[in-house]
Amino acid sequence: MKIAQELGVNHFASKQQEASVNVLFTASWIHTRINRYLKQFQLTEEQFNVLRILKGSLPNLLCAKDIALRMIDRGSNVTRIIDKLVVKNLVEKKQSEEDRREVQLAISSEGLKLLNKIDDVAINKEINRLSDIEAELLSVLLDKLRNE
């Protein structure tokens, strides 16, 4: 369904306005679907993002600042997210050997098991409807929007 029909509007002021509204609406739509899927695992999208970051850094440990720089939603409260994941035994905290003030983080074996249960195809099923060429074009266009 076209964005104008989806929102019940007759027209937009410009093609650029239509594209902007479409990007915002679609991002929210994808976010809602991903959170709905992750709910069965008692995870939020932000918690899932932290677990993926920690898994991707293995065998290296990361501090909260490093995780925050890699987050999709940079406004997330990383400390709070990490604390919730520690309580769920999905993340382990370790004291840094170089700097006793710094806490380093690693995904736990339970966190790895949980990530293995989460189906990447299911979580990305909407975007998987695009061909490789379409997905690449979409990425190129979105990158262009962010580059000043």
Side-chain angles (χ1 to χ4, degrees):
M1 179 180 298
K2 294 211 174 251
I3 190 67
Q5 291 173 302
E6 187 78 42
L7 298 177
V9 298
N10 292 327
H11 68 281
F12 291 93
S14 67
K15 291 295 181 186
Q16 289 76 11
Q17 181 192 42
E18 181 179 4
S20 180
V21 169
N22 204 340
V23 167
L24 293 171
F25 182 85
T26 304
S28 176
W29 180 80
I30 290 172
H31 178 75
T32 299
R33 288 173 176 269
I34 289 173
N35 272 325
R36 191 177 305 143
Y37 175 77
L38 290 173
K39 191 173 188 176
Q40 66 187 301
F41 302 101
Q42 287 88 46
L43 284 179
T44 64
E45 189 174 354
E46 293 80 8
Q47 291 170 341
F48 178 66
N49 190 200
V50 168
L51 291 175
R52 297 279 306 258
I53 290 166
L54 289 171
K55 180 182 178 186
S57 73
L58 288 174
N60 300 322
L61 304 177
L62 296 176
C63 66
K65 180 180 74 173
D66 294 331
I67 293 170
L69 292 172
R70 297 179 186 185
M71 292 288 292
I72 292 171
D73 179 1
R74 301 250 169 101
S76 298
N77 184 335
V78 176
T79 302
R80 182 182 54 79
I81 294 167
I82 291 167
D83 288 344
K84 288 185 177 189
L85 292 170
V86 168
V87 168
K88 294 179 180 186
N89 296 316
L90 301 174
V91 169
E92 298 171 346
K93 286 184 175 183
K94 299 177 182 181
Q95 211 61 42
S96 170
E97 293 179 14
E98 296 89 33
D99 183 350
R100 306 290 279 164
R101 297 169 292 173
E102 184 177 83
V103 175
Q104 294 185 317
L105 303 155
I107 189 167
S108 68
S109 60
E110 289 300 312
L112 286 170
K113 285 179 195 173
L114 181 61
L115 281 184
N116 288 333
K117 287 181 188 175
I118 297 173
D119 183 357
D120 276 345
V121 172
I123 203 165
N124 293 307
K125 76 178 182 179
E126 287 78 20
I127 208 77
N128 288 337
R129 287 188 244 164
L130 301 177
S131 70
D132 287 350
I133 292 170
E134 291 168 330
E136 183 178 10
L137 177 59
L138 178 59
S139 288
V140 166
L141 292 172
L142 293 173
D143 289 343
K144 183 177 181 178
L145 283 178
R146 287 191 320 281
N147 292 327
E148 296 179 29

